């Protein structure tokens, strides 16, 4: 009996270990190679015999930067399946991922998998999750499922991501419009004037992140929005689809369910005023004003300070120039900041160190002064919106360039005047000496007279 019990216990333990290993293998394969696993899951769904229910799943923002706008997915279920279809899959391990992201060549994927694998991430971070059951006919629901299965095929699952025009929310809206037998009519009220204003609303607790966006993105996100364009943010999509109707009179959303209440606003608390970009820009402006006065008083060119200041601007200028001239992001060009933040500032950072290159540095200083004055004057009348912290920094650049132009130019003028004076003195001295040698003495004049 003991032997039989021991054998039974060992068999049970081995069975449990095998089941656990298979479970972990499935989870690992989903996280490690999402495209392969998701495609197989999508193909394994059998045609349901009962009615299909299609829902939009809206996940509220989280604390990380990439979670600030939330997430959107499609849920399709019946008595025999419960699936989620996710347009937000990407792989950090792809070659040159960061470079391709900055350049605007990021490819995302669409994937289908069991809905029970979708929720844990959002429950763990505490974000609210809302489900909107769509009032679609069975023919429309079947068409939706068929299109999604086609999209998850290996040759179709990748798409070129764009953060405002081709993301997890906008692709779902386009898919809905293509399967609905009647036109979907959304509310026409506009809450935000532009893409940038909508971003600022959702980035309000992340001022440094918005500061970076305002540097990188030009006037391509500053044109007046239509109501439907606001739905690139999933929470705005939730609001607008909830009030939408189809042209045949149906409400788009039949029922709304809260799948997880969440723990409130999961974004970070507001950044203190003394830690934001505006405060530190004003500190920089005050320091530049003090340095301006000191420079004029001492008549000294502190090369280290000038070189560091223009080097930082030049590095930022490299990024802006890359986004304007090389990146394929449509929102990065044109960008008015290229007049200020450009790689030429690196030339200024090097030219201040040597006297031979001082004319180049002076020319760059005058360029900066003209560019800053033009930007101050023209900015209110042009299309691109600016971060308020830009203007104190532009004031810093104006003061630094003005101080250098005055001191370097004055010093060059004084040096040239001293050289001219010395040359003139030598010429006069030489002329007097030669004149004395040629002037006849009294004895010579007497001899000549005789």
């Amino acid at each position: 009996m003991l032997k039989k019990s021991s054998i039974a216990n060992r068999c049970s333990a081995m069975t449990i270990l095998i089941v656990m290993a298979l479970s972990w293998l499935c989870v690992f394969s989903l996280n490690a190679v999402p495209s392969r696993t998701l495609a197989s899951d999508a193909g394994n769904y059998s045609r349901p015999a009962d009615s299909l229910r299609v829902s939009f799943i809206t996940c509220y923002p989280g604390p990380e930067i990439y979670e600030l706008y939330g997430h959107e997915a499609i849920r399709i279920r019946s008595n025999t399946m419960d699936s989620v279809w996710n347009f937000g899959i990407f792989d950090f391990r792809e070659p040159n991922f960061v470079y391709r992201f900055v350049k605007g060549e990021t490819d995302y994927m669409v994937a289908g998998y069991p809905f029970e694998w979708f929720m844990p991430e959002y429950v763990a971070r505490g974000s609210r999750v809302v489900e909107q059951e769509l009032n679609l006919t069975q023919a429309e629901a079947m068409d939706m499922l068929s299109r999604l299965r086609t999209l998850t095929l290996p040759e179709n699952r990748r798409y070129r991501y764009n953060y405002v025009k081709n993301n997890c929310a906008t692709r779902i809206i386009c898919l809905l419009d293509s399967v609905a037998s009647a036109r979907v009519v959304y509310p026409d009220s506009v809450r935000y004037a532009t893409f940038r204003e909508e971003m600022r609303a959702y980035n309000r607790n992340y001022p440094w992140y918005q500061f970076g966006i305002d540097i990188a993105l030009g006037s391509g996100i500053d044109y007046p929005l239509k109501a439907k364009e606001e739905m690139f943010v999933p929470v705005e999509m939730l609001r607008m689809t909830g009030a939408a109707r189809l042209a045949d009179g149906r409400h788009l959303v039949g029922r709304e369910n809260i799948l997880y209440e969440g723990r409130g606003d999961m974004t970070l608390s507001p950044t203190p005023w003394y830690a934001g970009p505006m405060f530190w820009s004003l500190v920089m402006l005050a320091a530049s004003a003090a340095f301006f006065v000191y420079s004029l008083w001492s008549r000294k060119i502190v090369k280290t300070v000038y070189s560091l200041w223009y080097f930082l601007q030049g590095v930022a200028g490299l990024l802006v120039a890359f986004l304007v001239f090389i990146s394929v992001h449509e929102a990065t060009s044109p960008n008015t900041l290229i007049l200020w933040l450009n790689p030429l500032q690196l030339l200024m950072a090097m030219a201040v160190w040597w006297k031979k290159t001082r004319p180049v540095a002076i020319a760059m200083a005058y360029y900066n002064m003209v560019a800053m004055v033009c930007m101050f004057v023209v900015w209110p009348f042009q299309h691109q919106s600016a971060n308020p912290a830009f203007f104190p920094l532009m004031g810093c650049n104006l003061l630094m360039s003005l101080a250098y132009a005055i001191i370097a130019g004055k010093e060059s003028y004084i040096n040239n005047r001293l050289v001219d004076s010395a040359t003139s003195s030598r010429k006069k001295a030489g002329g007097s000496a030669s004149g004395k040698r040629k002037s006849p003495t009294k004895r010579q004049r007497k001899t000549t007279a005789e």
Side-chain angles (χ1 to χ4, degrees):
M1 293 295 293
L2 290 174
K3 290 183 177 180
K4 290 182 179 180
S5 176
S6 175
I7 293 173
N9 290 338
R10 289 179 182 178
C11 290
S12 299
M14 288 296 295
T15 303
I16 293 172
L17 289 174
I18 291 172
V19 171
M20 290 178 64
L22 290 174
S23 300
W24 280 107
L25 180 62
C26 291
V27 174
F28 174 78
S29 62
L30 173 67
N31 293 329
V33 191
S35 58
R36 181 180 61 198
T37 303
L38 298 175
S40 63
D41 285 332
N44 288 337
Y45 290 132
S46 59
R47 177 182 287 274
D50 57 324
S51 61
L52 293 177
R53 287 177 289 171
V54 179
S55 304
F56 286 166
I57 305 297
T58 303
C59 307
Y60 274 62
E64 300 297 333
I65 288 176
Y66 58 85
E67 300 170 343
L68 291 180
Y69 302 151
H71 187 53
E72 194 75 24
I74 299 175
R75 182 184 188 183
I76 299 182
R77 55 181 166 161
S78 66
N79 292 337
T80 57
M81 73 168 189
D82 191 358
S83 62
V84 68
W85 304 81
N86 190 345
F87 286 84
I89 305 296
F90 61 91
D91 190 355
F92 274 119
R93 299 169 302 170
E94 289 185 350
N96 304 316
F97 180 86
V98 175
Y99 172 79
R100 288 171 59 84
F101 182 84
V102 175
K103 191 179 178 182
E105 295 179 347
T106 309
D107 290 334
Y108 273 44
M109 293 177 285
V110 56
Y113 50 90
F115 182 74
E116 61 181 331
W117 295 358
F118 179 80
M119 287 293 294
E121 175 185 355
Y122 303 98
V123 173
R125 82 184 191 195
S127 296
R128 191 182 196 208
V129 181
V130 179
E131 178 183 29
Q132 293 175 307
E133 293 188 20
L134 303 185
N135 192 17
L136 299 182
T137 65
Q138 280 303 292
E140 292 168 336
M142 288 298 298
D143 190 16
M144 176 80 78
L145 179 60
S146 176
R147 288 172 183 262
L148 287 169
R149 283 174 169 168
T150 301
L151 287 174
T152 55
L153 294 175
E155 62 271 21
N156 299 330
R157 63 188 173 208
R158 290 181 178 272
Y159 71 94
R160 184 55 49 87
Y161 177 78
N162 182 294
Y163 34 77
V164 295
K165 292 189 176 181
N166 202 24
N167 64 13
C168 64
T170 59
R171 288 189 72 85
I172 290 175
I173 291 297
C174 291
L175 183 60
L176 173 65
D177 291 342
S178 66
V179 303
S181 57
R183 185 173 64 91
V184 183
V185 181
Y186 298 97
D188 58 359
S189 59
V190 178
R191 298 184 65 181
Y192 306 98
T194 63
F195 283 123
R196 197 187 302 271
E197 291 302 318
E198 190 166 357
M199 291 177 179
R200 286 173 178 169
Y202 282 86
N203 300 340
R204 59 187 177 276
N205 293 350
Y206 297 70
W208 285 106
Y209 176 54
Q210 184 61 48
F211 182 81
I213 288 177
D214 289 336
I215 289 178
L217 302 185
S219 58
I221 59 171
D222 288 314
Y223 67 84
L225 289 184
K226 298 178 181 178
K228 191 174 181 179
E229 291 177 305
E230 293 185 334
M231 289 194 287
F232 83 93
V233 175
V235 177
E236 299 300 325
M237 177 178 166
L238 171 71
R239 175 182 63 85
M240 297 188 69
T241 51
R245 288 175 175 268
L246 284 87
D248 58 11
R250 286 177 290 164
H251 289 278
L252 176 61
V253 176
R255 185 171 62 177
E256 187 173 291
N257 307 313
I258 298 177
L259 301 182
Y260 180 65
E261 185 63 42
R263 299 193 295 269
D265 186 358
M266 295 310 300
T267 59
L268 299 180
S269 57
T271 301
W273 61 271
Y274 54 82
M278 188 63 185
F279 174 79
W280 287 105
S281 294
L282 292 173
V283 169
M284 289 294 296
L285 180 61
S288 298
F291 182 77
F292 177 81
V293 174
Y294 168 77
S295 298
L296 295 185
W297 175 75
S298 64
R299 295 290 176 180
K300 292 181 179 179
I301 297 176
V302 186
K303 299 176 182 178
T304 304
V305 175
Y306 284 109
S307 184
L308 178 60
W309 172 251
Y310 291 108
F311 173 78
L312 293 175
Q313 291 184 112
V315 171
L318 286 174
L319 174 61
V320 173
F322 179 86
L323 292 171
V324 170
F325 299 112
I326 299 178
S327 175
V328 295
H329 279 301
E330 61 185 51
T332 59
S333 181
N335 189 341
T336 308
L337 293 177
I338 194 68
L339 296 175
W340 164 33
L341 300 176
N342 56 66
L344 291 177
Q345 304 296 346
L346 294 175
L347 186 63
M348 177 74 172
M350 294 184 292
V352 298
W353 286 98
W354 303 284
K355 288 185 178 180
K356 290 183 178 180
T357 56
R358 184 166 295 174
V360 176
I362 293 175
M364 278 299 303
Y366 278 103
Y367 165 79
N368 278 320
M369 286 189 290
V370 173
M372 293 305 98
V373 171
C374 290
M375 291 181 72
F376 277 122
V377 173
V378 175
W379 201 288
F381 306 100
Q382 55 91 53
H383 192 55
Q384 183 174 336
S385 176
N387 192 292
F390 288 168
F391 298 106
L393 293 177
M394 287 192 286
C396 294
N397 197 35
L398 178 61
L399 289 175
M400 295 285 287
S401 300
L402 179 60
Y404 185 86
I406 292 174
I407 298 170
K410 186 68 174 177
E411 183 176 303
S412 299
Y413 172 75
I414 292 173
N415 289 339
N416 290 335
R417 188 175 62 183
L418 291 175
V419 170
D420 292 343
S421 298
T423 303
S424 177
S425 299
R426 286 195 298 269
K427 286 182 178 180
K428 289 181 179 179
S432 299
S434 61
K436 289 179 180 178
R437 287 194 299 270
K438 293 180 180 180
S439 300
T441 61
K442 291 182 179 179
R443 183 176 298 179
Q444 290 172 334
R445 287 195 297 270
K446 184 177 179 181
T447 305
T448 303
E450 291 178 351

